Amino acid sequence: MTLDIVTIFPAMIEQPLAAGIIGRAIERGTLDVKVRDLRDFTTDRHRVVDDEPYGGGPGMVLKPDPIFRALDAIEAERGRPLTVILTSPQGARFTQAVAQRLSGAEHVVLLCGRYEGFDDRVRERVTEELSIGDYVLTGGELPALVMLDAIARFVPGVVGDEQSVAEDSFSRGLLDFPQYTRPPEIAGAAERPLKVPDVLLSGNHAEIRRWRKREALSRTLTRRPDLLDGAVLDEEEAALLRELKGARDGRD
Ligand code: SAM
């Protein structure tokens, strides 16, 4: 998969991309990521990318022409990108489902805003405007990294075990079940022993599978019941959910 990120702070993107699973995928060539410095697409001596807002008001606005030139250069080098994403707190919510859909695109361009954001005419060249949540950050670099990371996990060959991606929280509309590793017992607060649930040490794979389903459903019901409306459940899970809801109603 090919990704281009346009930013005025390339170092904010390049360093995190060099580490971990994403760094290895780039090294192997599974992901072809280029970070483009927006200032390289200015034409003036001072490499100015922003200007005052028409109509007055605080802050500066990112000029449209360097962004258009950056997109033209990317197209000339790579061919027409089908997906140009504007990072914006005003965009549609970026979710696991959006990440999965975008992982099917051959080429994605991510535009990182700064200051008061982009001159609105930039939207002319944008296919999607996406927000990572209802809060405002100082720039689009962190959102672009978040999106790239979540998208890349769905690209075949990026995460070693694709099953783990399929089982992650949100992938089926459920939160993930709790995980434990060695040691089987450790002292918690006031020396109270914190034990791994017996079932996970039992070696009984059918019981473990059922326990994990139950825990995933129970966590989702407690923490994010809104997700259950869109969850795809098998018969066993549907029965477990009825049981959990029944037990909860009994307690109320
Ligand atoms: N004045 C803009 C508004 O209220 O919509 C906010 C601009 S923000 C300070 C600067 C840049 O950070 C935005 O252009 C966008 O690229 C990025 N950004 C900030 N919060 C974001 C979010 N929640 N999701 C995605 N991008 C965000």
Side-chain angles (χ1 to χ4, degrees):
M1 181 179 193
T2 305
L3 295 121
D4 288 280
I5 305 177
V6 181
T7 170
I8 61 167
F9 292 122
M12 264 190 87
I13 306 276
E14 282 160 354
Q15 292 209 350
L17 282 187
I21 286 178
I22 303 295
R24 283 197 295 279
I26 292 171
E27 253 174 48
R28 279 197 309 271
T30 313
L31 298 175
D32 175 2
V33 183
K34 278 202 179 155
V35 184
R36 319 271 179 169
D37 186 342
L38 185 61
R39 294 193 193 279
D40 292 344
F41 302 97
T42 53
T43 50
D44 64 301
R45 204 155 56 90
H46 298 292
R47 295 165 43 100
V48 174
V49 290
D50 58 325
D51 208 335
E52 291 165 353
Y54 276 125
M60 300 295 272
V61 176
L62 280 176
K63 290 157 67 64
D65 31 333
I67 292 170
F68 287 165
R69 277 194 291 275
L71 289 172
D72 290 342
I74 291 169
E75 271 186 41
E77 187 184 316
R78 310 258 213 193
R80 179 168 278 270
L82 297 176
T83 309
V84 178
I85 295 171
L86 188 81
T87 58
S88 160
Q90 300 177 25
R93 183 69 62 88
F94 180 76
T95 61
Q96 183 82 337
V98 173
Q100 185 162 17
R101 171 173 60 75
L102 290 172
S103 71
E106 269 176 40
H107 181 192
V108 170
V109 179
L110 291 155
L111 301 177
C112 306
R114 278 276 152 180
Y115 317 122
E116 291 303 314
F118 301 88
D119 179 304
D120 219 63
R121 290 167 290 181
V122 165
R123 286 178 169 79
E124 173 80 16
R125 300 277 296 268
V126 161
T127 53
E128 301 195 34
E129 188 171 335
L130 294 174
S131 163
I132 61 163
D134 289 346
Y135 39 80
V136 178
L137 300 165
T138 52
E141 288 74 17
L142 293 173
L145 283 169
V146 166
M147 291 180 203
L148 186 150
D149 194 295
I151 294 167
R153 295 183 77 253
F154 285 107
V155 173
V158 170
V159 174
D161 183 351
E162 274 153 39
Q163 168 104 20
S164 85
V165 178
E167 286 177 359
D168 277 335
S169 295
F170 309 113
S171 282
R172 288 188 320 119
L174 295 179
L175 301 181
D176 205 357
F177 49 78
Q179 299 276 15
Y180 298 87
T181 186
R182 293 186 186 90
E185 188 174 321
I186 189 168
E191 298 298 303
R192 189 173 54 90
L194 296 173
K195 289 178 158 187
V196 172
D198 288 340
V199 62
L200 297 178
L201 308 176
S202 69
N204 183 333
H205 295 293
E207 277 304 309
I208 291 171
R209 198 183 43 75
R210 191 174 157 80
W211 179 87
R212 285 180 163 167
K213 281 184 173 182
R214 195 171 204 286
E215 290 297 312
L217 287 161
S218 168
R219 282 206 158 175
T220 313
L221 187 60
T222 310
R223 299 180 187 186
R224 292 291 306 275
D226 56 301
L227 293 176
L228 289 168
D229 294 339
V232 185
L233 304 182
D234 62 26
E235 266 180 42
E236 188 179 31
E237 287 166 331
L240 284 168
L241 182 59
R242 280 194 298 276
E243 224 177 77
L244 287 165
K245 281 182 170 169
R248 199 181 58 168
D249 293 344
R251 280 200 306 272
D252 291 344

